[in-house]
Amino acid sequence: MTRHTPRAIIVIFGATGDLANRKLYPSLYRLYRNHKLSDHFAVVGVARRPLTNEDFRNNIKKSIADFQDDPIDHDAFAAHFHYNPFDAQHLSEYQKLDNFINQLDDKHQADGNRLFYMAMAPNFFGPIAANLKSQGLTDNRGWSRLVIEKPFGHNYETAQQLNEQIGQAFSEDQIYRIDHYLGKQMVQNIEIVRFANAMFEPLWNNQYIANVQITSSEVLGVEERGRYYDESGALRDMVQNHMLQIVSLLAMEPPAKLHPDEVRYEKIKVLRSLRQLEEKDVNAYFVRGQYDQGEIAGKAVDSYRDSNGVASDSNTETFVAGKFMIDNFRWAGVPFYVRTGKRMAKKATEIVIQFKDLPINLYKDKGDTIDPNLLVIRIQPDEGITMHLNAKKTDYETTSTPIAMHYNKADQNTESPEAYEVLIKDCLNGDSTSFVHSDEVSLSWKFVDVISKVWMNEKADFPNYQSGTNGPTQATELLAQDGFHWWEIN
């Protein structure tokens, strides 16, 4: 079968790391298996470990061991992978790498296309990008693209520094900042639900929508990431990127066309329209929490401060709930609530759009309450869409009862591509729609930095929620003061 994806040499810096083994190699394999990756490709694994090609290829085969039932020869797939020991600080190493890529390009007929993937610590992004440029690795006859992973800086200033560093070596249309949430199928479905259904887009505004709720909860704690997480926290780790990206997709205006530049332009406009907080207002709009001991699935679990690498008096938040107000014509007055946390009651990422109540309840005399209409988009673990409506009870009276109309992705008996699979394919095809623009990074950090500054300078009364619950009571009060409550969708 003909494979249509462009030919390329994919260079993975950090090729022996967890991200590469857990996500990148299985995703490349699925693309290859599903005929989305050209036969004319090679992967150059770059890392400091002194591995042989055989060692490296054995690692690749181990990472795709779960696909034993596929009619694909794992040895033939692994033969596309080549290892290159590398010290990023020595310029001579780059010239050797360039020669090696040229040899592979000739062997695999890759048309001179190069994809550089930074699967390593962010402090290497800028220096490696600069060296790739100065040593001529971007002077190839095909295209060159750079993929970087979050975090894109730790605040506005460091994000600007990173953007300037990599921007001197690669133009903005060559830079692909991965936020894996944007590769999830139901996140990508937000566009389809909004812009391909005549029943929704006319209602997608402050005349008909009362509030929007976005929840991303985990039952796991920080596990072995305590040292990293204690320097980051839920605000930087989740809100600045994943949550704000979903807000911008939900709130953006219809783009002139479904072109990457047009979609990203509309998302940037949303971030520019966010009501900017003054320091004195932060705690009225945002709530933080840190998990204590508790019980999950009948098993006792420890507190955040008992985790390895976490300070015994840590002021780092493991939970954030907040209210975004978007001051534009479409959304004025509609709160966008977000909450994200670890060690919560269930693992779920979902969006709830609550529509406004009817002006009058005609069934009040019959003792009925009319529940609000809800549109629920479930991103994980059970991908799907649910509409909550009111309908007649199954009895002799004309009375109402709430019902739910479900679309469950699992019922389609089709395998959904993984987020990294989708994003790698898009990058190879030059489609940057689901990648983060530098302006999005800057605007989101500007907003979040105000909150970070306040919380850094105020000692919180932590821990303030038990593991296995839905977070601190202040998160409930945040909505209650507006007359709303969090929807717990089963």
Side-chain angles (χ1 to χ4, degrees), residues 141-160:
R141 59 191 173 89
W143 48 255
S144 292
R145 293 174 189 145
L146 177 72
V147 182
I148 64 172
E149 291 273 345
K150 80 174 187 73
F152 313 126
H154 298 284
N155 52 33
Y156 175 74
E157 286 76 19
T158 56
Q160 288 295 92

Side-chain angles (χ1 to χ4, degrees), residues 162-449:
L162 176 60
N163 283 333
E164 288 172 8
Q165 279 184 311
I166 62 177
Q168 290 174 4
F170 293 84
S171 60
E172 182 62 32
D173 63 355
Q174 293 178 299
I175 300 168
Y176 290 70
R177 299 172 188 83
I178 275 196
D179 182 336
H180 73 273
Y181 262 52
L182 297 182
K184 292 180 180 293
Q185 291 295 286
M186 294 310 296
V187 172
Q188 296 198 334
N189 221 335
I190 292 171
E191 272 185 23
I192 306 295
V193 168
R194 284 196 57 188
F195 304 133
N197 291 290
M199 66 183 293
F200 286 131
E201 185 55 29
L203 308 181
W204 214 262
N205 54 58
N206 54 11
Q207 294 183 58
Y208 297 99
I209 291 178
N211 71 80
V212 177
Q213 301 178 18
I214 305 165
T215 297
S216 182
S217 59
E218 297 181 62
V219 295
L220 292 176
V222 296
E223 311 310 312
E224 301 305 315
R225 298 172 67 227
R227 191 173 303 280
Y228 159 77
Y229 197 88
D230 211 39
E231 296 178 358
S232 173
L235 183 68
R236 290 190 178 102
D237 191 47
M238 289 292 295
V239 177
Q240 181 271 331
N241 39 73
H242 303 324
M243 307 302 274
L244 270 171
Q245 283 293 315
I246 294 176
V247 168
S248 63
L249 284 170
L250 289 165
M252 70 185 221
E253 293 295 319
K257 53 187 174 181
L258 291 177
H259 183 275
D261 290 345
E262 299 291 342
V263 172
R264 294 160 98 185
Y265 172 70
E266 295 300 343
K267 289 169 64 186
I268 290 166
K269 280 170 58 181
V270 172
L271 296 175
R272 285 179 175 153
S273 299
L274 289 176
R275 181 179 299 171
Q276 299 301 303
L277 299 181
E278 295 184 27
E279 291 182 25
K280 63 182 177 62
D281 298 322
V282 164
N283 291 323
Y285 281 79
F286 280 82
V287 169
R288 56 178 163 163
Q290 186 187 94
Y291 65 79
D292 199 356
Q293 299 173 347
E295 189 174 286
I296 293 178
K299 180 182 176 182
V301 291
D302 58 8
S303 71
Y304 172 71
R305 290 179 175 180
D306 291 331
S307 304
N308 288 335
V310 174
S312 59
D313 61 347
S314 173
N315 201 43
T316 299
E317 76 287 349
T318 62
F319 173 97
V320 174
K323 175 171 67 173
F324 294 100
M325 301 301 294
I326 301 170
D327 293 330
N328 63 19
F329 194 79
R330 180 183 288 263
W331 294 113
V334 178
F336 281 67
Y337 301 110
V338 302
R339 62 175 170 173
T340 181
K342 293 187 175 295
R343 284 274 174 82
M344 294 178 69
K346 67 175 182 178
K347 176 180 174 63
T349 302
E350 59 194 17
I351 300 160
V352 180
I353 293 97
Q354 178 178 337
F355 292 88
K356 287 187 174 180
D357 293 336
L358 292 166
I360 188 169
N361 179 5
L362 296 175
Y363 297 91
K364 186 177 181 180
D365 293 341
K366 298 177 180 291
D368 283 359
T369 57
I370 300 296
D371 287 13
N373 296 139
L374 306 176
L375 173 65
V376 181
I377 301 173
R378 298 186 309 280
I379 296 167
Q380 62 180 13
D382 302 313
E383 297 176 324
I385 300 172
T386 302
M387 276 292 297
H388 290 258
L389 307 172
N390 292 292
K392 182 183 179 300
K393 288 180 181 177
T394 53
D395 58 17
Y396 294 101
E397 302 298 324
T398 309
T399 52
S400 71
T401 188
I403 63 167
M405 300 173 64
H406 296 286
Y407 161 70
N408 194 328
K409 184 72 169 60
D411 294 340
Q412 305 303 304
N413 294 319
T414 56
E415 182 186 49
S416 290
E418 294 285 337
Y420 274 94
E421 183 183 348
V422 171
L423 294 172
I424 290 172
K425 174 181 173 292
D426 285 350
C427 188
L428 287 167
N429 281 302
D431 183 352
S432 57
T433 305
S434 297
F435 293 83
V436 184
H437 191 278
S438 61
D439 288 349
E440 295 176 67
V441 175
S442 298
L443 289 165
S444 58
W445 273 125
K446 270 188 176 179
F447 186 94
V448 162
D449 279 354

